[in-house]
Amino acid sequence: MKPTTRRPGAAWVLPVLGLLLCFAHTGAAQAPASPAPAASQRLDQAFSALDASDWSSAIRLFGELSQEFPGEAELFYYLGVAEASRGDDHAAALAFGKAASLDPQLDWVQADLGISLFRLGEFGLAEEHLLEALLQGPDDADVLLHLGLIDLAHGSEARGRKLLEESAALEPERAALGFYEAASMELDRDNIDAALALLERSVEA
Protein backbone atom coordinates (compact mmCIF):
# COMPACT_ATOMS: atom_id res chain seq x y z
CA MET A 1 0.00 0.00 0.00
CA LYS A 2 1.56 3.26 -1.09
CA PRO A 3 2.00 5.72 1.77
CA THR A 4 0.39 9.13 1.72
CA THR A 5 2.76 12.06 1.93
CA ARG A 6 1.31 14.00 4.81
CA ARG A 7 1.66 17.72 5.31
CA PRO A 8 0.12 18.41 8.77
CA GLY A 9 -1.26 21.89 8.52
CA ALA A 10 1.35 24.61 8.98
CA ALA A 11 3.78 22.25 10.68
CA TRP A 12 6.24 22.67 7.80
CA VAL A 13 6.99 26.14 9.17
CA LEU A 14 8.24 24.74 12.47
CA PRO A 15 11.60 23.42 11.23
CA VAL A 16 12.43 26.86 9.85
CA LEU A 17 11.65 28.43 13.19
CA GLY A 18 13.68 25.76 14.94
CA LEU A 19 16.67 26.36 12.70
CA LEU A 20 16.55 30.10 13.29
CA LEU A 21 16.18 29.60 17.04
CA CYS A 22 19.14 27.24 17.06
CA PHE A 23 21.36 29.89 15.55
CA ALA A 24 19.94 32.53 17.88
CA HIS A 25 20.91 30.44 20.92
CA THR A 26 24.55 30.42 19.84
CA GLY A 27 24.67 34.20 20.29
CA ALA A 28 24.38 36.85 17.60
CA ALA A 29 27.97 37.99 18.03
CA GLN A 30 29.47 34.55 17.40
CA ALA A 31 27.07 33.30 14.70
CA PRO A 32 28.10 33.96 11.09
CA ALA A 33 25.57 35.73 8.91
CA SER A 34 25.34 33.00 6.22
CA PRO A 35 24.43 29.65 7.91
CA ALA A 36 20.76 30.43 8.77
CA PRO A 37 19.78 31.45 5.21
CA ALA A 38 21.72 28.48 3.82
CA ALA A 39 19.83 26.11 6.11
CA SER A 40 16.52 27.70 5.19
CA GLN A 41 17.37 27.39 1.51
CA ARG A 42 18.19 23.69 1.87
CA LEU A 43 14.93 23.22 3.77
CA ASP A 44 13.00 24.77 0.88
CA GLN A 45 14.89 22.48 -1.50
CA ALA A 46 14.00 19.47 0.65
CA PHE A 47 10.28 20.28 0.55
CA SER A 48 10.46 20.96 -3.19
CA ALA A 49 12.07 17.53 -3.67
CA LEU A 50 9.34 15.95 -1.54
CA ASP A 51 6.59 17.63 -3.56
CA ALA A 52 8.28 16.51 -6.79
CA SER A 53 8.53 12.89 -5.57
CA ASP A 54 12.32 13.14 -5.77
CA TRP A 55 12.77 10.85 -2.81
CA SER A 56 16.54 10.51 -3.06
CA SER A 57 17.11 14.26 -2.91
CA ALA A 58 14.54 14.70 -0.14
CA ILE A 59 16.18 11.95 1.92
CA ARG A 60 19.62 13.45 1.42
CA LEU A 61 18.54 16.97 2.34
CA PHE A 62 16.35 16.06 5.31
CA GLY A 63 19.04 13.63 6.44
CA GLU A 64 21.70 16.34 6.38
CA LEU A 65 19.48 18.84 8.17
CA SER A 66 18.42 16.34 10.84
CA GLN A 67 22.08 15.60 11.55
CA GLU A 68 22.84 19.31 11.85
CA PHE A 69 19.79 20.00 14.02
CA PRO A 70 19.14 16.74 15.95
CA GLY A 71 16.59 18.31 18.27
CA GLU A 72 14.10 19.14 15.48
CA ALA A 73 11.43 16.43 15.42
CA GLU A 74 9.90 17.74 12.18
CA LEU A 75 13.10 17.15 10.23
CA PHE A 76 13.14 13.48 11.25
CA TYR A 77 9.43 13.23 10.51
CA TYR A 78 9.79 14.43 6.93
CA LEU A 79 12.87 12.24 6.51
CA GLY A 80 10.56 9.36 7.45
CA VAL A 81 7.94 10.53 4.94
CA ALA A 82 10.55 10.48 2.18
CA GLU A 83 11.90 7.07 3.22
CA ALA A 84 8.38 5.59 3.39
CA SER A 85 7.49 7.05 0.01
CA ARG A 86 10.62 5.47 -1.47
CA GLY A 87 9.55 2.14 0.04
CA ASP A 88 12.21 1.74 2.75
CA ASP A 89 9.97 0.95 5.71
CA HIS A 90 12.87 0.12 8.02
CA ALA A 91 14.54 3.49 7.49
CA ALA A 92 11.14 5.21 7.72
CA ALA A 93 10.38 3.54 11.06
CA LEU A 94 13.75 4.65 12.43
CA ALA A 95 13.15 8.26 11.35
CA PHE A 96 9.55 8.33 12.59
CA GLY A 97 10.67 6.72 15.84
CA LYS A 98 13.27 9.43 16.38
CA ALA A 99 10.68 12.13 15.64
CA ALA A 100 8.23 10.51 18.07
CA SER A 101 10.87 10.35 20.80
CA LEU A 102 11.50 14.09 20.38
CA ASP A 103 7.84 15.09 20.14
CA PRO A 104 5.26 12.34 20.78
CA GLN A 105 2.42 14.78 20.02
CA LEU A 106 3.72 15.82 16.60
CA ASP A 107 0.96 15.66 14.00
CA TRP A 108 0.79 12.26 12.24
CA VAL A 109 4.03 10.89 13.70
CA GLN A 110 2.32 8.16 15.75
CA ALA A 111 0.16 7.16 12.79
CA ASP A 112 3.00 7.00 10.29
CA LEU A 113 5.29 5.18 12.73
CA GLY A 114 2.54 2.63 13.33
CA ILE A 115 1.95 2.14 9.60
CA SER A 116 5.67 1.65 8.91
CA LEU A 117 5.88 -0.91 11.72
CA PHE A 118 2.82 -2.67 10.31
CA ARG A 119 4.53 -3.01 6.93
CA LEU A 120 7.52 -4.52 8.71
CA GLY A 121 5.25 -7.12 10.31
CA GLU A 122 5.71 -5.68 13.82
CA PHE A 123 1.98 -5.82 14.57
CA GLY A 124 2.29 -5.47 18.35
CA LEU A 125 4.41 -2.32 18.19
CA ALA A 126 2.36 -0.98 15.30
CA GLU A 127 -0.86 -1.35 17.28
CA GLU A 128 0.58 0.64 20.21
CA HIS A 129 1.40 3.64 18.04
CA LEU A 130 -1.79 3.43 15.99
CA LEU A 131 -3.89 3.39 19.16
CA GLU A 132 -1.96 6.40 20.41
CA ALA A 133 -2.71 8.16 17.12
CA LEU A 134 -6.38 7.28 17.55
CA LEU A 135 -6.35 8.74 21.07
CA GLN A 136 -4.69 11.94 19.88
CA GLY A 137 -7.29 12.27 17.10
CA PRO A 138 -8.86 13.17 14.82
CA ASP A 139 -9.97 9.85 13.34
CA ASP A 140 -7.89 8.95 10.30
CA ALA A 141 -8.81 6.41 7.63
CA ASP A 142 -5.27 4.98 7.50
CA VAL A 143 -5.14 4.47 11.27
CA LEU A 144 -8.54 2.73 11.38
CA LEU A 145 -7.67 0.63 8.34
CA HIS A 146 -4.40 -0.69 9.78
CA LEU A 147 -5.90 -1.32 13.21
CA GLY A 148 -8.62 -3.29 11.46
CA LEU A 149 -6.07 -5.35 9.52
CA ILE A 150 -4.16 -6.08 12.74
CA ASP A 151 -7.39 -7.29 14.38
CA LEU A 152 -8.14 -9.52 11.39
CA ALA A 153 -4.60 -10.92 11.49
CA HIS A 154 -5.14 -11.76 15.16
CA GLY A 155 -8.48 -13.41 14.43
CA SER A 156 -10.69 -10.62 15.84
CA GLU A 157 -12.92 -10.61 12.77
CA ALA A 158 -15.91 -8.67 14.11
CA ARG A 159 -13.84 -5.78 15.45
CA GLY A 160 -11.57 -5.84 12.41
CA ARG A 161 -14.49 -5.58 9.98
CA LYS A 162 -16.00 -2.78 12.09
CA LEU A 163 -12.77 -0.76 11.90
CA LEU A 164 -12.54 -1.31 8.15
CA GLU A 165 -16.09 -0.03 7.75
CA GLU A 166 -15.25 3.05 9.83
CA SER A 167 -12.23 3.62 7.61
CA ALA A 168 -14.41 3.26 4.50
CA ALA A 169 -16.81 5.87 5.82
CA LEU A 170 -13.95 8.38 6.07
CA GLU A 171 -12.09 7.55 2.85
CA PRO A 172 -13.71 4.92 0.59
CA GLU A 173 -10.88 4.53 -1.94
CA ARG A 174 -8.20 3.88 0.69
CA ALA A 175 -10.51 1.53 2.57
CA ALA A 176 -11.00 -0.47 -0.65
CA LEU A 177 -7.34 -1.44 -0.43
CA GLY A 178 -7.90 -2.51 3.17
CA PHE A 179 -10.76 -4.82 2.21
CA TYR A 180 -8.56 -6.24 -0.55
CA GLU A 181 -5.73 -6.95 1.93
CA ALA A 182 -8.22 -8.46 4.36
CA ALA A 183 -9.46 -10.73 1.56
CA SER A 184 -5.86 -11.84 0.96
CA MET A 185 -5.58 -12.76 4.64
CA GLU A 186 -8.71 -14.90 4.40
CA LEU A 187 -7.41 -16.60 1.25
CA ASP A 188 -4.22 -17.48 3.12
CA ARG A 189 -6.46 -19.18 5.69
CA ASP A 190 -8.40 -20.98 2.91
CA ASN A 191 -11.53 -19.14 4.03
CA ILE A 192 -12.95 -18.69 0.53
CA ASP A 193 -16.43 -17.43 1.45
CA ALA A 194 -15.05 -14.68 3.72
CA ALA A 195 -12.47 -13.72 1.09
CA LEU A 196 -15.15 -13.38 -1.62
CA ALA A 197 -17.32 -11.25 0.68
CA LEU A 198 -14.39 -8.93 1.40
CA LEU A 199 -13.52 -8.65 -2.29
CA GLU A 200 -17.11 -7.66 -3.04
CA ARG A 201 -16.91 -5.04 -0.29
CA SER A 202 -13.66 -3.77 -1.79
CA VAL A 203 -15.37 -3.24 -5.15
CA GLU A 204 -18.26 -1.43 -3.45
CA ALA A 205 -15.82 0.88 -1.61
Side-chain angles (χ1 to χ4, degrees):
M1 194 177 300
K2 191 177 185 299
T4 300
T5 300
R6 303 178 187 270
R7 186 63 61 87
W12 65 271
V13 178
L14 296 178
V16 177
L17 297 178
L19 297 176
L20 296 176
L21 286 173
C22 184
F23 284 111
H25 289 162
T26 63
Q30 291 80 16
S34 57
S40 298
Q41 185 178 27
R42 281 183 290 145
L43 189 64
D44 288 340
Q45 291 171 351
F47 279 119
S48 294
L50 202 62
D51 289 337
S53 301
D54 183 357
W55 313 129
S56 296
S57 295
I59 289 166
R60 176 179 57 80
L61 289 162
F62 281 117
E64 290 172 357
L65 288 165
S66 65
Q67 292 302 310
E68 291 179 41
F69 305 99
E72 295 293 335
E74 293 88 351
L75 294 175
F76 287 99
Y77 172 79
Y78 285 110
L79 175 60
V81 169
E83 293 283 13
S85 299
R86 186 174 67 170
D88 191 339
D89 294 313
H90 184 264
L94 290 176
F96 288 139
K98 178 63 175 178
S101 70
L102 290 169
D103 185 359
Q105 300 294 318
L106 181 65
D107 286 347
W108 302 116
V109 71
Q110 298 292 342
D112 285 337
L113 176 55
I115 291 169
S116 291
L117 289 168
F118 175 90
R119 293 196 183 102
L120 292 170
E122 298 288 347
F123 288 175
L125 289 172
E127 187 174 29
E128 290 179 18
H129 292 284
L130 291 168
L131 287 172
E132 180 61 29
L134 200 62
L135 286 173
Q136 291 180 10
D139 286 351
D140 178 72
D142 270 339
V143 171
L144 294 169
L145 186 155
H146 286 86
L147 283 171
L149 291 176
I150 289 171
D151 278 344
L152 291 173
H154 290 161
S156 301
E157 293 186 15
R159 191 171 69 171
R161 288 290 298 271
K162 179 176 181 292
L163 287 167
L164 289 183
E165 291 294 347
E166 290 177 6
S167 176
L170 291 174
E171 196 173 331
E173 290 183 4
R174 186 164 295 275
L177 295 174
F179 285 114
Y180 181 82
E181 288 201 15
S184 297
M185 290 180 182
E186 295 300 340
L187 282 175
D188 290 341
R189 299 182 184 125
D190 293 326
N191 193 345
I192 305 300
D193 289 340
L196 288 174
L198 286 165
L199 284 174
E200 289 177 3
R201 185 66 186 88
S202 177
V203 172
E204 291 173 9

